[in-house]
Amino acid sequence: LSATAAVNNNNNIVDNNVLINTPARQSLPPIFRLQSIPGKGVGVICREPIPIHTVIGDYMGEVLSMEEKDRRYLKSQSQYRTAQDIQWIESRLRREQTLTGDYLYKISGGVKDMYVDAEDEYESNWTRFLNHNKVANILPKSIHESYDGKPRVWFVSNRNIDAGEELCFDYGDDYWLPGDDVV
């Protein structure tokens, strides 16, 4: 445990008031830390400066087709859920994972759109904690098919980033719903 880490009443490891006992949280490189960010939830803070054009990390999670995404997340499509979709939902609920659809990254450019779903902290990594800011200090990059035949999403710094800064990218206009309070 780090000097600031402790174990709370539920035997969960906590550092800076942020739980750190899931694979996504444990995958955080040592040059970053997770921190509670007012109005946003948990964010990623740099412990040391990062030069411009540095690869920050890959956005990892389950790869879903548009049809899978819709069946699993849209109430209007719930009647089309398969047994596999129901097992997927039950697994998330058993592990106390959310079902919001807020961590989907759309990859266009192939025959069909695909989505990387980083919502489940047991199937994703630390980049799921990257928050939104219109004035981003990192940019997402994506390709429909990488060297391993799978889609890839990664982040690159678009300017020099100072120690103590939160890493943020612009989620884009498609992310927000009418009436959302964009922070």
Side-chain angles (χ1 to χ4, degrees):
L1 294 178
S2 73
T4 58
V7 177
N8 71 7
N9 294 338
N10 296 325
N11 287 326
N12 292 317
I13 301 170
V14 177
D15 193 1
N16 291 314
N17 293 321
V18 176
L19 290 174
I20 57 172
N21 63 340
T22 64
R25 293 165 192 257
Q26 292 170 353
S27 70
L28 187 72
I31 65 167
F32 305 121
R33 66 182 164 82
L34 296 178
Q35 179 177 310
S36 181
I37 307 293
K40 293 184 179 183
V42 176
V44 179
I45 307 297
C46 295
R47 293 183 189 267
E48 55 191 62
I50 297 175
I52 190 171
H53 305 303
T54 300
V55 173
I56 301 298
D58 282 20
Y59 193 71
M60 301 181 79
E62 299 170 88
V63 177
L64 304 176
S65 68
M66 185 171 64
E67 294 79 12
E68 288 171 310
K69 171 198 66 84
D70 290 349
R71 288 193 318 263
R72 293 177 180 187
Y73 285 115
L74 297 179
K75 288 181 183 173
S76 64
Q77 300 295 305
S78 63
Q79 71 271 21
Y80 303 114
R81 287 182 181 147
T82 65
Q84 184 180 4
D85 295 331
I86 293 167
Q87 287 176 336
W88 178 88
I89 291 167
E90 290 171 351
S91 172
R92 282 232 178 137
L93 295 174
R94 257 192 323 276
R95 292 176 291 114
E96 298 180 5
Q97 297 299 295
T98 56
L99 292 162
T100 65
D102 289 346
Y103 296 83
L104 294 164
Y105 188 96
K106 181 180 178 179
I107 302 172
S108 301
V111 175
K112 289 186 174 183
D113 290 342
M114 302 179 81
Y115 297 82
V116 176
D117 183 1
E119 186 159 0
D120 187 334
E121 291 191 39
Y122 291 88
E123 300 291 335
S124 61
N125 72 355
W126 66 274
T127 57
R128 74 179 299 285
F129 299 107
L130 297 170
N131 286 320
H132 166 78
N133 194 323
K134 275 282 195 198
V135 184
N137 53 16
I138 59 175
L139 297 174
K141 307 281 185 180
S142 65
I143 53 176
H144 205 267
E145 188 173 331
S146 186
Y147 61 91
D148 60 0
K150 298 177 184 175
R152 181 178 180 217
V153 178
W154 69 101
F155 296 94
V156 177
S157 58
N158 63 344
R159 64 171 175 79
N160 292 324
I161 302 171
D162 294 328
E165 278 191 74
E166 181 184 9
L167 293 177
C168 294
F169 71 103
D170 184 353
Y171 289 1
D173 293 335
D174 291 347
Y175 178 83
W176 305 104
L177 298 172
D180 278 351
D181 185 21
V182 180
V183 290

